[in-house]
PDB file of all heavy atoms in Angstrom:
ATOM      1  N   MET A  70      10.590  28.280  38.257  1.00  0.00           N
ATOM      2  CA  MET A  70      10.860  27.356  37.178  1.00  0.00           C
ATOM      3  C   MET A  70       9.736  27.486  36.151  1.00  0.00           C
ATOM      4  O   MET A  70       8.564  27.466  36.506  1.00  0.00           O
ATOM      5  CB  MET A  70      10.907  25.929  37.733  1.00  0.00           C
ATOM      6  CG  MET A  70      10.992  24.880  36.677  1.00  0.00           C
ATOM      7  SD  MET A  70      10.998  23.164  37.238  1.00  0.00           S
ATOM      8  CE  MET A  70      12.291  23.143  38.430  1.00  0.00           C
ATOM      9  N   THR A  71      10.121  27.600  34.897  1.00  0.00           N
ATOM     10  CA  THR A  71       9.120  27.679  33.838  1.00  0.00           C
ATOM     11  C   THR A  71       8.646  26.281  33.479  1.00  0.00           C
ATOM     12  O   THR A  71       9.275  25.276  33.827  1.00  0.00           O
ATOM     13  CB  THR A  71       9.701  28.351  32.576  1.00  0.00           C
ATOM     14  OG1 THR A  71      10.693  27.486  32.016  1.00  0.00           O
ATOM     15  CG2 THR A  71      10.273  29.721  32.874  1.00  0.00           C
ATOM     16  N   GLY A  72       7.547  26.222  32.759  1.00  0.00           N
ATOM     17  CA  GLY A  72       7.023  24.938  32.317  1.00  0.00           C
ATOM     18  C   GLY A  72       8.002  24.202  31.418  1.00  0.00           C
ATOM     19  O   GLY A  72       8.140  22.979  31.494  1.00  0.00           O
ATOM     20  N   ASP A  73       8.711  24.944  30.568  1.00  0.00           N
ATOM     21  CA  ASP A  73       9.697  24.333  29.681  1.00  0.00           C
ATOM     22  C   ASP A  73      10.855  23.731  30.467  1.00  0.00           C
ATOM     23  O   ASP A  73      11.334  22.647  30.139  1.00  0.00           O
ATOM     24  CB  ASP A  73      10.235  25.352  28.682  1.00  0.00           C
ATOM     25  CG  ASP A  73       9.207  25.741  27.629  1.00  0.00           C
ATOM     26  OD1 ASP A  73       8.219  24.995  27.451  1.00  0.00           O
ATOM     27  OD2 ASP A  73       9.402  26.796  26.987  1.00  0.00           O
ATOM     28  N   GLU A  74      11.307  24.450  31.482  1.00  0.00           N
ATOM     29  CA  GLU A  74      12.397  23.931  32.321  1.00  0.00           C
ATOM     30  C   GLU A  74      11.968  22.654  33.037  1.00  0.00           C
ATOM     31  O   GLU A  74      12.740  21.704  33.136  1.00  0.00           O
ATOM     32  CB  GLU A  74      12.834  24.976  33.344  1.00  0.00           C
ATOM     33  CG  GLU A  74      13.529  26.172  32.738  1.00  0.00           C
ATOM     34  CD  GLU A  74      13.730  27.296  33.744  1.00  0.00           C
ATOM     35  OE1 GLU A  74      12.958  27.414  34.713  1.00  0.00           O
ATOM     36  OE2 GLU A  74      14.687  28.060  33.544  1.00  0.00           O
ATOM     37  N   GLU A  75      10.734  22.651  33.522  1.00  0.00           N
ATOM     38  CA  GLU A  75      10.222  21.468  34.213  1.00  0.00           C
ATOM     39  C   GLU A  75      10.169  20.278  33.257  1.00  0.00           C
ATOM     40  O   GLU A  75      10.596  19.175  33.604  1.00  0.00           O
ATOM     41  CB  GLU A  75       8.835  21.754  34.781  1.00  0.00           C
ATOM     42  CG  GLU A  75       8.264  20.586  35.546  1.00  0.00           C
ATOM     43  CD  GLU A  75       6.923  20.908  36.170  1.00  0.00           C
ATOM     44  OE1 GLU A  75       6.772  21.996  36.774  1.00  0.00           O
ATOM     45  OE2 GLU A  75       6.028  20.050  36.055  1.00  0.00           O
ATOM     46  N   LEU A  76       9.663  20.509  32.047  1.00  0.00           N
ATOM     47  CA  LEU A  76       9.582  19.418  31.073  1.00  0.00           C
ATOM     48  C   LEU A  76      10.960  18.904  30.693  1.00  0.00           C
ATOM     49  O   LEU A  76      11.156  17.692  30.528  1.00  0.00           O
ATOM     50  CB  LEU A  76       8.816  19.870  29.828  1.00  0.00           C
ATOM     51  CG  LEU A  76       7.328  20.126  30.037  1.00  0.00           C
ATOM     52  CD1 LEU A  76       6.699  20.684  28.764  1.00  0.00           C
ATOM     53  CD2 LEU A  76       6.612  18.880  30.501  1.00  0.00           C
ATOM     54  N   LEU A  77      11.924  19.799  30.570  1.00  0.00           N
ATOM     55  CA  LEU A  77      13.299  19.392  30.278  1.00  0.00           C
ATOM     56  C   LEU A  77      13.847  18.524  31.411  1.00  0.00           C
ATOM     57  O   LEU A  77      14.474  17.489  31.166  1.00  0.00           O
ATOM     58  CB  LEU A  77      14.195  20.612  30.067  1.00  0.00           C
ATOM     59  CG  LEU A  77      15.674  20.314  29.829  1.00  0.00           C
ATOM     60  CD1 LEU A  77      15.868  19.482  28.575  1.00  0.00           C
ATOM     61  CD2 LEU A  77      16.462  21.611  29.754  1.00  0.00           C
ATOM     62  N   GLN A  78      13.593  18.913  32.645  1.00  0.00           N
ATOM     63  CA  GLN A  78      14.063  18.130  33.785  1.00  0.00           C
ATOM     64  C   GLN A  78      13.371  16.772  33.846  1.00  0.00           C
ATOM     65  O   GLN A  78      14.007  15.771  34.196  1.00  0.00           O
ATOM     66  CB  GLN A  78      13.871  18.901  35.082  1.00  0.00           C
ATOM     67  CG  GLN A  78      14.843  20.034  35.221  1.00  0.00           C
ATOM     68  CD  GLN A  78      14.775  20.711  36.581  1.00  0.00           C
ATOM     69  OE1 GLN A  78      14.172  20.198  37.514  1.00  0.00           O
ATOM     70  NE2 GLN A  78      15.408  21.854  36.685  1.00  0.00           N
ATOM     71  N   VAL A  79      12.107  16.710  33.489  1.00  0.00           N
ATOM     72  CA  VAL A  79      11.403  15.421  33.464  1.00  0.00           C
ATOM     73  C   VAL A  79      12.011  14.527  32.384  1.00  0.00           C
ATOM     74  O   VAL A  79      12.186  13.318  32.597  1.00  0.00           O
ATOM     75  CB  VAL A  79       9.882  15.628  33.266  1.00  0.00           C
ATOM     76  CG1 VAL A  79       9.182  14.310  32.976  1.00  0.00           C
ATOM     77  CG2 VAL A  79       9.284  16.286  34.505  1.00  0.00           C
ATOM     78  N   HIS A 106       4.209  12.290  36.776  1.00  0.00           N
ATOM     79  CA  HIS A 106       4.285  13.732  36.553  1.00  0.00           C
ATOM     80  C   HIS A 106       2.883  14.329  36.441  1.00  0.00           C
ATOM     81  O   HIS A 106       2.619  15.424  36.962  1.00  0.00           O
ATOM     82  CB  HIS A 106       5.112  14.030  35.297  1.00  0.00           C
ATOM     83  CG  HIS A 106       5.327  15.470  35.053  1.00  0.00           C
ATOM     84  ND1 HIS A 106       4.981  16.082  33.880  1.00  0.00           N
ATOM     85  CD2 HIS A 106       5.840  16.457  35.841  1.00  0.00           C
ATOM     86  CE1 HIS A 106       5.277  17.367  33.938  1.00  0.00           C
ATOM     87  NE2 HIS A 106       5.799  17.623  35.119  1.00  0.00           N
ATOM     88  N   ARG A 113       0.876  23.841  43.050  1.00  0.00           N
ATOM     89  CA  ARG A 113       1.188  25.262  42.877  1.00  0.00           C
ATOM     90  C   ARG A 113       2.684  25.536  42.880  1.00  0.00           C
ATOM     91  O   ARG A 113       3.160  26.402  42.171  1.00  0.00           O
ATOM     92  CB  ARG A 113       0.519  26.075  43.978  1.00  0.00           C
ATOM     93  CG  ARG A 113      -0.977  26.072  43.847  1.00  0.00           C
ATOM     94  CD  ARG A 113      -1.670  26.927  44.848  1.00  0.00           C
ATOM     95  NE  ARG A 113      -0.774  27.508  45.828  1.00  0.00           N
ATOM     96  CZ  ARG A 113      -1.150  28.166  46.884  1.00  0.00           C
ATOM     97  NH1 ARG A 113      -2.417  28.328  47.116  1.00  0.00           N
ATOM     98  NH2 ARG A 113      -0.280  28.672  47.729  1.00  0.00           N
ATOM     99  N   ILE A 114       3.420  24.844  43.703  1.00  0.00           N
ATOM    100  CA  ILE A 114       4.871  25.062  43.779  1.00  0.00           C
ATOM    101  C   ILE A 114       5.540  24.028  42.892  1.00  0.00           C
ATOM    102  O   ILE A 114       5.504  22.841  43.177  1.00  0.00           O
ATOM    103  CB  ILE A 114       5.373  24.971  45.227  1.00  0.00           C
ATOM    104  CG1 ILE A 114       4.666  26.037  46.063  1.00  0.00           C
ATOM    105  CG2 ILE A 114       6.882  25.120  45.288  1.00  0.00           C
ATOM    106  CD1 ILE A 114       4.949  25.976  47.527  1.00  0.00           C
ATOM    107  N   ARG A 115       6.146  24.483  41.815  1.00  0.00           N
ATOM    108  CA  ARG A 115       6.662  23.591  40.787  1.00  0.00           C
ATOM    109  C   ARG A 115       8.136  23.237  40.963  1.00  0.00           C
ATOM    110  O   ARG A 115       8.624  22.309  40.328  1.00  0.00           O
ATOM    111  CB  ARG A 115       6.481  24.234  39.404  1.00  0.00           C
ATOM    112  CG  ARG A 115       5.094  24.732  39.093  1.00  0.00           C
ATOM    113  CD  ARG A 115       4.020  23.706  39.192  1.00  0.00           C
ATOM    114  NE  ARG A 115       4.233  22.580  38.305  1.00  0.00           N
ATOM    115  CZ  ARG A 115       3.481  21.493  38.321  1.00  0.00           C
ATOM    116  NH1 ARG A 115       2.482  21.382  39.157  1.00  0.00           N
ATOM    117  NH2 ARG A 115       3.739  20.501  37.509  1.00  0.00           N
ATOM    118  N   ALA A 116       8.856  23.945  41.817  1.00  0.00           N
ATOM    119  CA  ALA A 116      10.304  23.803  41.904  1.00  0.00           C
ATOM    120  C   ALA A 116      10.761  22.387  42.218  1.00  0.00           C
ATOM    121  O   ALA A 116      11.804  21.944  41.725  1.00  0.00           O
ATOM    122  CB  ALA A 116      10.867  24.763  42.947  1.00  0.00           C
ATOM    123  N   PHE A 117       9.998  21.647  43.007  1.00  0.00           N
ATOM    124  CA  PHE A 117      10.432  20.323  43.422  1.00  0.00           C
ATOM    125  C   PHE A 117       9.740  19.192  42.671  1.00  0.00           C
ATOM    126  O   PHE A 117       9.979  18.024  42.958  1.00  0.00           O
ATOM    127  CB  PHE A 117      10.218  20.146  44.931  1.00  0.00           C
ATOM    128  CG  PHE A 117      11.028  21.099  45.741  1.00  0.00           C
ATOM    129  CD1 PHE A 117      10.431  22.180  46.361  1.00  0.00           C
ATOM    130  CD2 PHE A 117      12.402  20.944  45.848  1.00  0.00           C
ATOM    131  CE1 PHE A 117      11.179  23.080  47.093  1.00  0.00           C
ATOM    132  CE2 PHE A 117      13.170  21.836  46.578  1.00  0.00           C
ATOM    133  CZ  PHE A 117      12.555  22.908  47.203  1.00  0.00           C
ATOM    134  N   VAL A 118       8.903  19.524  41.710  1.00  0.00           N
ATOM    135  CA  VAL A 118       8.151  18.497  40.993  1.00  0.00           C
ATOM    136  C   VAL A 118       9.072  17.473  40.329  1.00  0.00           C
ATOM    137  O   VAL A 118       8.871  16.267  40.515  1.00  0.00           O
ATOM    138  CB  VAL A 118       7.157  19.124  39.987  1.00  0.00           C
ATOM    139  CG1 VAL A 118       6.592  18.080  39.043  1.00  0.00           C
ATOM    140  CG2 VAL A 118       6.040  19.830  40.742  1.00  0.00           C
ATOM    141  N   PRO A 119      10.096  17.865  39.572  1.00  0.00           N
ATOM    142  CA  PRO A 119      10.952  16.842  38.952  1.00  0.00           C
ATOM    143  C   PRO A 119      11.611  15.912  39.981  1.00  0.00           C
ATOM    144  O   PRO A 119      11.712  14.702  39.749  1.00  0.00           O
ATOM    145  CB  PRO A 119      12.003  17.662  38.194  1.00  0.00           C
ATOM    146  CG  PRO A 119      11.305  18.945  37.898  1.00  0.00           C
ATOM    147  CD  PRO A 119      10.458  19.210  39.115  1.00  0.00           C
ATOM    148  N   LEU A 120      12.012  16.453  41.097  1.00  0.00           N
ATOM    149  CA  LEU A 120      12.616  15.634  42.149  1.00  0.00           C
ATOM    150  C   LEU A 120      11.607  14.637  42.708  1.00  0.00           C
ATOM    151  O   LEU A 120      11.915  13.450  42.882  1.00  0.00           O
ATOM    152  CB  LEU A 120      13.151  16.525  43.270  1.00  0.00           C
ATOM    153  CG  LEU A 120      13.753  15.811  44.475  1.00  0.00           C
ATOM    154  CD1 LEU A 120      15.015  15.064  44.072  1.00  0.00           C
ATOM    155  CD2 LEU A 120      14.044  16.812  45.571  1.00  0.00           C
TER     156      LEU A 120
END
Side-chain angles (χ1 to χ4, degrees):
M70 172 182 307
T71 68
D73 289 342
E74 291 170 333
E75 182 177 315
L76 292 175
L77 177 61
Q78 287 187 13
V79 169
H106 184 236
R113 292 184 355 188
I114 300 174
R115 309 303 301 173
F117 297 106
V118 168
L120 177 66

